Amino acid sequence: MISLTRLEQIEENLGNHKIAIIGDMMLDGYFWGDVSRVSPEAPVPVVEIENEFFRFGGAANVAININKLGGISLPIGIIGDDSDGETFLKLMEKEKINNSGIFKDSERPTTTKTRVIAGKQHVVRIDRESKNYLSKIFEQKILDFLDQNINSISAIILQDYNKGVLSEVLIEQIIKLANEKNKIITVDPKFINFSKFKNVTLFKPNRKETEDVLGIRINSDKDISSAGKKLLEILNAKYILITLGEKGIALFEEGKDEIRISTKAKKVADVSGAGDTVISTLTLALASGASINEAAYIANFAAGIVCEEVGIVPIEKEKLFNIIRESLK
């Protein structure tokens, strides 16, 4: 729970903080249309495209979430020297997102996921990506850029989708720099580098990621508690926050009682992008002076709102805080 006074203090402070987001920048493409016939070339539907558009995905979706919440995002990552990369940069310009930390690598494509949708039916998804780790040259570009900007940022989010940006070396160096400069550093992990994110402020896996890494199945409250304590031990993080989908979140801190917060979604329509919303809201709230309990409370509301929407939709600050205010009356 949070008081109305504290909520308004945190809301007011959100705009004062720049958040660096380092990880796999992605472009999501959508081609919408109708199917009225089958191709004479093969037994597949012919989709007649009526609309197409692009949105940010991956770490770029976290960046736009930070901006919509009133913060200042500083995305740091790689795109390809290709047409999808140009589309990505145009989207950044449209959304007024700083692109100085985005580097072009001609040796790899811009990570792009293109969805073909006929009516309400998702027909196919086409992925264009490289999962190879970055060259040492681009690793150094990212480290140098972060080092040059570290004094102007309040927090760092490491957003890993196992697409090659966050290598073990880069993870280690970023965390070391953040801790030396006393900066908040939060992590949204994926499987491959899961155990490498040691000594961070907050580590936020979801249920499946936790199950896969620990080699367990989480079927009960006891299982959740055991998993959270195990992650604290393995990672030496200040906080562990496990997202549990429709069951809300579980928060762990060494020497403190576990905290459970049930979902605020009235009806879960789509959990896509909820993890991005949680890490964005949590990090910006912590940077704005919220306690971990207050930040988790606000982030859980944010996740509930986006879960009621279909598709990946960034959270708007005014809508989020108005809904929380109404709940406190």
Side-chain angles (χ1 to χ4, degrees):
M1 202 65 166
I2 188 171
S3 72
L4 191 57
T5 301
R6 282 293 294 146
L7 184 71
E8 291 178 348
Q9 287 172 346
I10 294 165
E11 181 181 12
E12 187 177 340
N13 287 334
L14 291 180
N16 299 327
H17 298 282
K18 182 186 290 184
I19 311 296
I21 305 99
I22 308 173
D24 301 297
M25 301 294 156
M26 300 187 199
L27 186 67
D28 286 345
Y30 295 85
F31 290 82
W32 292 78
D34 281 322
V35 173
S36 58
R37 61 195 175 97
V38 175
S39 171
E41 301 166 358
V44 295
V46 174
V47 181
E48 297 178 2
I49 300 299
E50 297 175 352
N51 188 24
E52 62 180 275
F53 58 91
F54 293 90
R55 289 177 178 165
F56 287 124
N61 186 48
V62 176
I64 196 168
N65 267 276
I66 292 290
N67 280 22
K68 296 291 185 183
L69 283 165
I72 305 161
S73 67
L74 183 64
I76 306 172
I78 303 294
I79 58 173
D81 189 7
D82 51 25
S83 60
D84 286 337
E86 291 306 312
T87 300
F88 186 92
L89 291 175
K90 286 177 183 175
L91 270 180
M92 293 190 81
E93 184 179 356
K94 179 184 175 185
E95 296 292 343
K96 297 181 173 57
I97 296 175
N98 187 330
N99 68 5
S100 59
I102 302 298
F103 303 100
K104 286 185 180 180
D105 183 351
S106 59
E107 299 299 313
R108 61 196 296 130
T110 302
T111 301
T112 306
K113 300 181 183 299
T114 305
R115 298 158 179 84
V116 179
I117 301 167
K120 294 182 179 179
Q121 181 68 42
H122 190 152
V123 178
V124 67
R125 193 179 88 179
I126 304 159
D127 288 3
R128 191 163 178 259
E129 63 188 24
S130 169
K131 295 181 182 177
N132 297 327
Y133 283 118
L134 302 180
S135 67
K136 297 299 180 186
I137 292 172
F138 281 98
E139 276 192 354
Q140 196 59 50
K141 281 179 182 288
I142 287 174
L143 279 173
D144 288 346
F145 183 84
L146 179 62
D147 189 46
Q148 290 159 14
N149 289 274
I150 191 76
N151 292 329
S152 69
I153 65 175
S154 299
I156 299 167
I157 298 173
L158 296 181
Q159 193 73 11
D160 194 7
Y161 291 87
N162 293 153
K163 305 301 181 188
V165 170
L166 290 172
S167 65
E168 289 185 27
V169 171
L170 202 51
I171 291 167
E172 182 182 316
Q173 291 299 313
I174 292 169
I175 293 172
K176 181 182 177 185
L177 179 60
N179 286 330
E180 284 174 354
K181 297 291 185 177
N182 200 29
K183 301 293 181 181
I184 293 166
I185 182 160
T186 63
V187 179
D188 198 351
K190 280 291 181 286
F191 183 81
I192 295 173
N193 296 316
F194 198 96
S195 62
K196 307 303 177 186
F197 295 101
K198 294 181 178 179
N199 306 312
V200 299
T201 309
L202 181 140
F203 186 81
K204 186 212 70 66
N206 61 31
R207 181 204 298 262
K208 185 179 186 306
E209 289 157 353
T210 303
E211 288 179 333
D212 290 347
V213 167
L214 296 181
I216 61 170
R217 283 292 166 261
I218 296 176
N219 296 315
S220 66
D221 285 348
K222 185 179 178 182
D223 293 339
I224 296 169
S225 299
S226 176
K229 290 171 185 174
K230 187 68 174 174
L231 290 180
L232 275 175
E233 179 185 330
I234 292 170
L235 297 168
N236 195 38
K238 189 172 183 181
Y239 311 114
I240 298 288
L241 189 145
I242 303 175
T243 57
L244 302 165
E246 68 280 359
K247 292 193 174 180
I249 60 178
L251 176 65
F252 301 86
E253 180 181 358
E254 193 66 48
K256 300 284 184 68
D257 290 338
E258 171 190 345
I259 293 172
R260 298 282 181 89
I261 307 176
S262 59
T263 182
K264 300 300 179 183
K266 295 182 179 68
K267 182 179 179 182
V268 176
D270 189 349
V271 297
S272 301
D276 295 348
T277 299
V278 169
I279 198 71
S280 305
T281 312
L282 269 169
T283 307
L284 193 54
L286 287 172
S288 302
S291 69
I292 186 58
N293 293 2
E294 290 168 339
Y297 182 81
I298 294 168
N300 194 52
F301 262 97
I305 293 167
V306 299
C307 283
E308 292 175 4
E309 304 282 347
V310 176
I312 298 174
V313 182
I315 189 71
E316 299 276 354
K317 181 176 81 167
E318 186 177 358
K319 181 177 182 180
L320 170 61
F321 282 88
N322 283 343
I323 287 174
I324 300 175
R325 263 188 288 271
E326 282 299 314
S327 77
L328 295 174
K329 290 180 179 177

